[in-house]
Amino acid sequence: MKKEWPLWEVFVRSKNGLEHRHFGSLHAADAEMALENARDVYTRRNEGVSIWVVESKNITASNPEHNAELFEPAQDKVYRHPTFYDLPDEIKHM
Amino acid sequence: MSEAQIKSLEEEFEARIARDEKIEPKDWMPEKYRKTHIRQMSQHAHSEIVGMLPEGNWISRAPSLRRKVALLAKVQDEGGHGLYLYSATETLGITRDEMFQQLHSGKAKYSSIFNYPAVTWADIGAIGWLVDGAAIINQVALCGTSFGPYARAMVRICKEESFHQRQGYEITLKLAQGTPEQKAMAQDALNRWWWPSLMMFGPKDDESPNTAQSMKWKLKRKTNDELRQQFVDQTVPQAELIGLTIPDPELKWNEEKQGYDFGEIDWDEFWQVVKGHGPCNKERMKARVSAWENGEWVRDAAIVYAEKQQDKKLNKAV
């Protein structure tokens, strides 16, 4: 039996009001151990108030090689931005 | 892929780095970039882990509770830094076990500095002050490196390291202000750690063939000799302030270059230690390998327990 402990991704909320942010990854045998290890590895100096761990294999990532198909369609849609619309200078607060 | 296609990909890749764009793990990268990063990052991780050994030895013998909690926290940080770096390296497609395997078999290197013994309490001061000081200079330069996960790990590490150096300097300072015996102990530690600390910046520039490539990939922002000079210039006044003497008769302020001239490093010693013949190479590896082997049953048991819990959950669901 030569099984490596699975890899987990760690997300930490640094304080209430902020979103959880990816902090890094670590190995642990199960979710509970992953949380405990994340506490020791990533929050030794009060960096967080909440931790999420998710096994890395459960994350589906987009492929950067497909970035063109995926993200370019947004590039020619300037009408999604407020600056696309011409308004008279007298109009304030809009 | 044809050779021409690879060449154009490589050119685009180099251009991205030149524009200060970061490279992320799933991006296309030249095989040499991947390999060089796996080598450098895993060696960096190994250095953090092996670096716990000379200091860990002193935790139970720290002279006060204040010193003990600080040293304990520092050694725990080194472990944490190793873990950040191992997981950053894994994003390049090598497993943690493969990296351990390379360390334990001697295929992967770690910083030679940890092959010197920490023989007195004053060594803990010298290690924090000089070794962490030198490491910080190297690491600050890496915060802007091109590979995203490495740069992010370095930012975290640099933030945490400055306490390491300060606690080391404080230990040295207190000894230097103590009894004549304590001061002599601090001086003795400085004498032994000074030259190995200068060696931490690696071979001289004209004997460091990879420097040009490393500069391009921002694995280096300054050359070995530039960083070494920076270390000498910042450390000499720190020694003077507490009345200790740098063990180098050739050390002299050079008004023209606004820096210190210093003596030649014993490069034979440097290469001897790199090649495995330092005072503690064998001892360090023995400690690492035995920790790994003695922990095997725990790792295996934890996996079996996790699988059992998983099965229980599934059975309940049915």
Side-chain angles (χ1 to χ4, degrees):
Chain A
M1 180 175 48
K2 273 292 145 272
K3 245 186 189 170
E4 225 181 287
W5 286 354
L7 191 66
W8 301 75
E9 299 301 322
V10 178
F11 300 83
V12 176
R13 183 201 296 287
S14 21
K15 61 177 189 186
N16 278 11
L18 295 178
E19 60 278 71
H20 285 77
R21 200 165 58 79
H22 185 237
F23 262 45
S25 50
L26 49 78
H27 287 271
D30 56 30
E32 201 185 331
M33 190 196 281
L35 272 181
E36 284 163 4
N37 288 358
R39 197 274 311 257
D40 290 343
V41 177
Y42 291 105
T43 63
R44 285 193 302 282
R45 288 174 175 80
N46 297 315
E47 287 93 337
V49 294
S50 160
I51 303 174
W52 290 347
V53 290
V54 57
E55 222 184 310
S56 311
K57 68 172 187 204
N58 293 325
I59 290 184
T60 309
S62 67
N63 183 342
E65 278 168 37
H66 301 155
N67 275 7
E69 302 93 291
L70 211 52
F71 300 115
E72 260 171 29
Q75 273 174 17
D76 58 2
K77 295 182 177 58
V78 283
Y79 46 85
R80 283 182 173 153
H81 298 278
T83 46
F84 177 72
Y85 301 92
D86 293 324
L87 297 186
D89 290 345
E90 298 83 67
I91 296 294
K92 305 286 183 210
H93 309 298
M94 190 182 281
Chain B
M1 238 184 297
S2 76
E3 252 173 61
Q5 273 172 315
I6 291 180
K7 196 158 189 303
S8 97
L9 277 174
E10 276 175 2
E11 276 164 16
E12 171 52 22
F13 180 84
E14 300 290 346
R16 285 180 66 192
I17 294 180
R19 284 197 300 271
D20 259 340
E21 278 180 39
K22 297 287 178 199
I23 306 302
E24 293 296 341
K26 286 174 139 266
D27 293 348
W28 183 88
M29 60 185 75
E31 222 18 60
K32 194 170 168 216
Y33 182 90
R34 182 185 303 277
K35 284 206 176 115
T36 303
H37 277 76
I38 288 179
R39 195 182 63 234
Q40 175 163 337
M41 291 167 69
S42 64
Q43 290 184 5
H44 197 159
H46 297 328
S47 302
E48 299 281 357
I49 297 299
V50 178
M52 297 163 81
L53 298 171
E55 289 178 299
N57 188 29
W58 279 93
I59 292 173
S60 60
R61 291 179 285 157
S64 69
L65 184 58
R66 185 174 186 274
R67 294 293 180 218
K68 188 172 183 157
V69 289
L71 184 58
L72 200 54
K74 177 181 191 288
V75 173
Q76 193 190 7
D77 271 353
E78 312 292 3
H81 297 171
L83 295 176
Y84 305 158
L85 287 163
Y86 280 130
S87 60
T89 315
E90 278 173 275
T91 65
L92 289 166
I94 183 169
T95 66
R96 186 79 55 108
D97 280 2
E98 282 173 304
M99 285 187 267
F100 286 153
Q101 169 61 29
Q102 290 179 352
L103 173 66
H104 298 160
S105 72
K107 186 179 170 223
K109 299 262 178 273
Y110 55 87
S111 181
S112 279
I113 193 81
F114 302 117
N115 290 319
Y116 290 87
V119 291
T120 72
W121 171 250
D123 288 42
I124 297 306
I127 291 174
W129 172 29
L130 303 171
V131 176
D132 286 271
I136 290 170
I137 287 182
N138 272 325
Q139 291 175 341
V140 165
L142 281 169
C143 288
T145 194
S146 63
F147 186 54
Y150 196 21
R152 291 192 286 274
M154 288 325 311
V155 171
R156 289 185 73 80
I157 289 173
C158 285
K159 262 193 217 158
E160 299 183 350
E161 289 262 357
S162 80
F163 119 68
H164 297 181
Q165 192 187 13
R166 291 172 69 109
Q167 68 92 36
Y169 189 65
E170 196 195 74
I171 291 172
T172 311
L173 164 81
K174 288 285 177 200
L175 289 172
Q177 292 169 338
T179 63
E181 288 82 3
Q182 286 171 325
K183 185 169 181 183
M185 195 161 92
Q187 182 64 53
D188 167 62
L190 171 59
N191 292 350
R192 283 179 291 106
W193 287 93
W194 175 254
W195 292 104
S197 299
L198 293 193
M199 294 177 196
M200 284 177 71
F201 298 96
K204 280 160 85 142
D205 291 348
D206 47 19
E207 284 170 41
S208 178
N210 299 323
T211 293
Q213 179 69 80
S214 296
M215 289 278 211
K216 240 165 94 194
W217 287 342
K218 301 181 180 167
L219 272 170
K220 269 187 188 164
R221 312 303 293 249
K222 288 180 180 171
T223 69
N224 295 354
D225 286 336
E226 284 168 342
L227 293 171
R228 192 164 13 241
Q229 183 70 50
Q230 188 184 332
F231 176 76
V232 172
D233 292 346
Q234 83 177 37
T235 310
V236 173
Q238 294 168 355
E240 281 170 356
L241 186 72
I242 55 177
L244 297 182
T245 311
I246 301 285
D248 178 359
E250 289 173 55
L251 187 81
K252 213 175 110 205
W253 177 253
N254 180 330
E255 188 61 31
E256 200 180 322
K257 78 170 183 189
Q258 285 296 301
Y260 286 91
D261 290 332
F262 51 95
E264 190 66 31
I265 288 170
D266 181 349
W267 293 108
D268 286 339
E269 176 183 322
F270 173 81
W271 289 114
Q272 281 296 314
V273 183
V274 168
K275 286 178 184 143
H277 310 300
C280 300
N281 295 57
K282 289 203 180 80
E283 189 185 327
R284 300 287 182 245
M285 258 326 90
K286 211 175 126 202
R288 260 319 298 160
V289 172
S290 81
W292 178 249
E293 287 175 353
N294 292 332
E296 186 174 342
W297 69 272
V298 180
R299 294 193 298 277
D300 292 347
I303 282 272
V304 174
Y305 177 75
E307 285 171 351
K308 211 165 106 186
Q309 294 305 107
Q310 195 62 30
D311 285 348
K312 261 194 198 162
K313 240 194 239 166
L314 288 177
N315 288 337
K316 252 191 206 155
V318 178

